Every structure is written in C-alpha cells, then in structure tokens.
Amino acid sequence: MEKVERKQRDREIIAEPEKKLHIIGKFLLKSELLVRDTDSHDSVQLLSVSKDAKKILVQGKAPEQFKLNSHVVLYKLLARYLELECEVIDERPNNQYVMEVESVSIASRERQFMRIKPPDGTVWITNLRTSKTTIDANLFNIPTSVKVNFADYERILKPKFDILKIDVFRSIGDKFDLVKKTGKILYIPNTQKPESYTTSDPNGYIDYEHELGDEEDVRRKIIEYANQKIKSELIVPVIYINHDEQAIPIGYVLVQNRNKEIDITEVMEIKTLTFEMVDRIRESNTILVKERFPVLDLSTGGLRVKINHPDLNDDLPRRVGFTFDIFFKMQAPLTAYGVVRSVARDAENNMYVGISLEGNSARPGEKKRYLDNVNRLMADFGAKVNPS
C-alpha cells in the first residue's frame, strides 16, 4: 500500500525494542487489529510477537488477504490511536502471515473526530470538479482558454471606449502591480481633478492618493495624464477562484477615455463582465467526473473515499482539494469542498483519499444537514465507530 500523508499526525515513534515489545505484548497481543485503507475495514488477529519486537504473526480472515512484500498498516484505538507499519515477509498455512514491524507509533493526543463506517451503498460522492490546468498566483501556467476568453471580451468592449485592453498581469508598472497585489479596482473618474485620486470605498477601490504619497505626487501624476491626453482611467482586476478556493488575480481590464469620464455605471458593467469571464474560464478549465465513489468512513470533520478513475488517478493527488457532492441515500445531494489530507494506493491502483471538509456550500444549511446525517449514523451504528 503506497501512502502519502499531506499532514502528518501528531504521534510518537517508539524506537526502543523494549518499549515496542511492551506495547505490542500488553495492548495488542491476541487482539484484533484493523487494516488501514481497505474497503471494508479488513482486520487480523495478532497471534505472537518476537522477543526483539521485529516480527509478528497474524491470523488473516481470508486466503490471499495479503501479498508477499506488500506494506500494510495495522491499527487499533485504545485510549489513543496505535499504529504498526509492517511488511509481509512470509505466508503460512491457514491464512497466517509473518510481518516485519517497520515502525510502531502512538498518537500524542486523542482524535478530534471519531469516524464511522456507513452501511454499504448508503453514502457516496459524485460530481467531482477539479482543474484541467493549474492556474497559480505566479502565473506560470496560463491556459490558452484564458487568452481566448480575454480576446473575446476585448472585442466586445473595445468599441465603447477610446482605449481598452484585457490581458494577463505582467511586470508592466506600478499601477498594475498595485491592482494585482490588492485585488482592488483603480478608478480615476477625472485625472485632472485631485479629488478623483481618493475613494469613499477603500474595501473595493484603491486610494490612489494614499498610494502615490502626497499632494505633490498627485500633482505630478495629473501632469503625466495630461501629457498622455488621458482624461479618465479604470483598471479592474480579473480574479480567478480556483477549485482550491484560492482567489488568484490573473489579469486586468484597462479602460481609458481621452475626452469624457468613465462613469460608475460603466465601472459596474465591466466588473460584472469580469465575473462572467471567470465563470467561462472555470467552465473550460474544469474536469467534471459524474461517477459514484463510495464513502468508506466519515466523521463530522471529514470522510474517506475509494476512487479509481482515469481522469483523477494521476491528477487528484497533486491537488490541494476539490469540490464534490455528497449523497446520503434517499436524500438530496450536499455540495462540499474538501482538502486532500492523505492518499493511499493499492495494487489495483485504487486510491483511498482522506478528505477534510472545509469552507461552506453555496446553499445555506448544507453543513447542518451533513452534521445531522453523520450524527444520525453514529446513533444508529455506534458499535461500528472506528478511527480513520
């Protein structure tokens, strides 16, 4: 089992052979251990342990439960979570296996969330949405669809203004760097009036007078605009919200008029069009997978799912997170955003993805519905509560 943890658990690695032997012999011997990242929480019974605590003998539940040289993680929840990372080194009659113990660890604290295994076929996720191409804040990857989109809207808007340009951010000057850094609009209704360099809405607009420095700096800027024959200027950022819920300023709309002011109605129109542009970019840069993937266990804070899909197998482990719908049987779906916390992969290339639920759904009450469903399952199937 190939395992990648995004966020390492707070745990103590037991190094001394005597301590390993004590923990295994006192707490795990003759008891049932669960096998991590299996569809149905497979388990084994620990029959014996060597005196140096380097090997254990376990009783499996079925023929060929483990392959030789495979790596498995056995765990048990006592007062705290206890875990053995092992390699299968020998197979014996009656479904018994000898395993080499590679590490023994115990959680530093109790788990924040308890997980339960829902009955088969009662909880699943679908409509997974991830990005085809990663668009990051450094703008190393700009899909062709972004440039095509910008060109389309530039053709639509250009006849309405003396100068109009829609482009991705580059190192092109202080005004554009300021818009990119702040994510705010730079709007100067009349470049020849000092009062146009301030704003009554500092949350959405740049206070350009403050950024320039003092009255003398504003006066120099007025002269600069006069020499350029620019009467009114507007720079609106195009802010892309990716599937990791990160706001990334990927470009801008620059508008300049030589003889008349750009009014606030036009500012709102262009701002609205940037939202439309982003929606189109997201749609063209989105992978939508409609297959169902079973939820193996879940808690109030997250869930673990089994995924095997050609569009996701290589891409998903590289993602911070993704958006998806959660279905509880006989109920309407819940839309959620999940952060990928761990990814394990078995010999059949099935992925076992641990997901922490973050953010809020666009529909009010989604979080409460999710918690109500989890709590109901915990009440109905409390005996099946297990750690992930």
Side-chain angles (χ1 to χ4, degrees):
M1 177 73 69
E2 176 191 352
K3 180 74 175 180
V4 177
E5 290 277 1
R6 293 283 182 87
K7 182 180 180 182
Q8 294 294 328
R9 300 187 191 279
D10 294 329
R11 61 178 183 169
E12 176 188 357
I13 304 295
I14 309 301
E16 299 84 348
E18 298 81 5
K19 286 186 178 180
K20 289 182 182 179
L21 183 61
H22 172 73
I23 289 172
I24 296 173
K26 182 174 181 179
F27 299 110
L28 304 180
L29 194 61
K30 306 301 182 183
S31 69
E32 185 178 58
L33 303 181
L34 291 169
V35 183
R36 197 171 68 185
D37 299 315
T38 53
D39 288 5
S40 55
H41 283 297
D42 290 350
S43 64
V44 298
Q45 185 182 31
L46 200 156
L47 300 177
S48 64
V49 56
S50 64
K51 292 183 179 180
D52 58 6
K54 290 184 177 180
K55 296 178 182 178
I56 57 174
L57 177 66
V58 303
Q59 176 66 57
K61 299 294 185 182
E64 300 182 354
Q65 184 174 355
F66 304 107
K67 296 180 179 179
L68 284 178
N69 303 316
S70 63
H71 290 265
V72 298
V73 177
L74 308 177
Y75 67 91
K76 189 176 182 66
L77 182 65
L78 302 168
R80 290 180 288 170
Y81 178 81
L82 199 153
E83 183 177 275
L84 306 181
E85 294 188 21
C86 306
E87 180 182 359
V88 181
I89 59 174
D90 191 19
E91 183 177 1
R92 294 187 177 178
N94 301 321
N95 305 326
Q96 293 184 359
Y97 299 88
V98 178
M99 297 186 179
E100 182 177 350
V101 180
E102 297 176 336
S103 74
V104 178
S105 62
I106 187 167
S108 303
R109 53 188 172 82
E110 294 183 4
R111 282 179 169 266
Q112 183 179 3
F113 301 113
M114 293 302 298
R115 290 188 176 271
I116 75 164
K117 179 185 181 301
D120 292 343
T122 59
V123 189
W124 64 91
I125 69 170
T126 187
N127 296 330
L128 280 68
R129 296 173 286 277
T130 64
S131 301
K132 294 178 183 176
T133 303
T134 300
I135 300 177
D136 56 35
N138 295 317
L139 302 181
F140 291 139
N141 295 304
I142 301 295
T144 302
S145 60
V146 172
K147 299 173 183 177
V148 170
N149 194 286
F150 283 3
D152 288 344
Y153 279 88
E154 189 172 272
R155 281 193 295 270
I156 293 170
L157 291 171
K158 208 161 193 175
K160 299 181 180 181
F161 305 96
D162 294 334
I163 298 171
L164 185 133
K165 183 176 179 61
I166 304 177
D167 202 356
V168 297
F169 282 110
R170 311 176 195 276
S171 298
I172 50 179
D174 57 344
K175 290 185 297 185
F176 297 94
D177 292 339
L178 191 59
V179 172
K180 180 181 177 181
K181 181 178 70 175
T182 63
K184 297 178 182 180
I185 295 171
L186 177 61
Y187 176 42
I188 309 173
N190 191 322
T191 62
Q192 300 308 295
K193 294 181 178 180
E195 60 268 25
S196 286
Y197 289 77
T198 62
T199 179
S200 59
D201 179 14
N203 292 321
Y205 294 80
I206 293 171
D207 187 335
Y208 203 28
E209 180 183 44
H210 174 76
E211 297 293 339
L212 288 173
D214 55 27
E215 292 181 3
E216 181 60 24
D217 293 312
V218 171
R219 189 185 69 81
R220 281 196 290 267
K221 184 60 69 172
I222 289 173
I223 294 172
E224 180 183 323
Y225 277 119
N227 291 336
Q228 294 173 347
K229 296 182 172 57
I230 301 299
K231 183 173 185 177
S232 189
E233 181 172 72
L234 171 70
I235 305 176
V236 180
V238 179
I239 300 178
Y240 180 79
I241 308 297
N242 66 15
H243 290 284
D244 297 329
E245 294 196 335
Q246 298 171 319
I248 301 172
I250 58 172
Y252 63 88
V253 180
L254 167 66
V255 179
Q256 294 174 327
N257 275 342
R258 299 189 185 280
N259 300 309
K260 66 175 184 177
E261 293 187 8
I262 302 164
D263 64 39
I264 192 64
T265 303
E266 292 171 317
V267 174
M268 291 298 101
E269 177 190 357
I270 291 174
K271 184 177 179 181
T272 301
L273 284 176
T274 65
F275 298 152
E276 187 179 302
M277 291 163 61
V278 168
D279 287 342
R280 281 184 55 182
I281 293 169
R282 276 173 59 88
E283 183 178 352
S284 63
N285 194 42
T286 294
I287 298 172
L288 174 62
V289 177
K290 295 185 177 182
E291 279 84 344
R292 291 184 179 188
F293 302 105
V295 172
L296 305 180
D297 55 45
L298 73 167
S299 73
T300 55
L303 42 82
R304 186 180 299 275
V305 297
K306 178 186 176 183
I307 295 175
N308 193 336
H309 191 279
D311 290 337
L312 300 173
N313 288 351
D314 294 329
D315 180 76
L316 197 59
R318 299 195 296 267
R319 299 294 173 192
V320 174
F322 58 98
T323 305
F324 55 95
D325 292 339
I326 306 172
F327 274 82
F328 290 87
K329 191 174 182 179
M330 306 298 290
Q331 294 192 33
L334 304 165
T335 301
Y337 172 75
V339 173
V340 176
R341 294 301 185 189
S342 65
V343 179
R345 203 184 296 269
D346 64 21
E348 286 73 41
N349 207 35
N350 297 306
M351 290 190 300
Y352 299 87
V353 185
I355 303 166
S356 173
L357 297 182
E358 308 284 348
N360 297 307
S361 167
R363 296 188 290 270
E366 297 282 76
K367 182 67 172 179
K368 182 179 185 302
R369 282 183 57 208
Y370 176 79
L371 294 175
D372 288 345
N373 275 285
V374 173
N375 289 328
R376 175 180 56 78
L377 285 171
M378 284 186 171
D380 292 345
F381 303 96
K384 296 182 181 180
V385 171
N386 283 312
S388 61

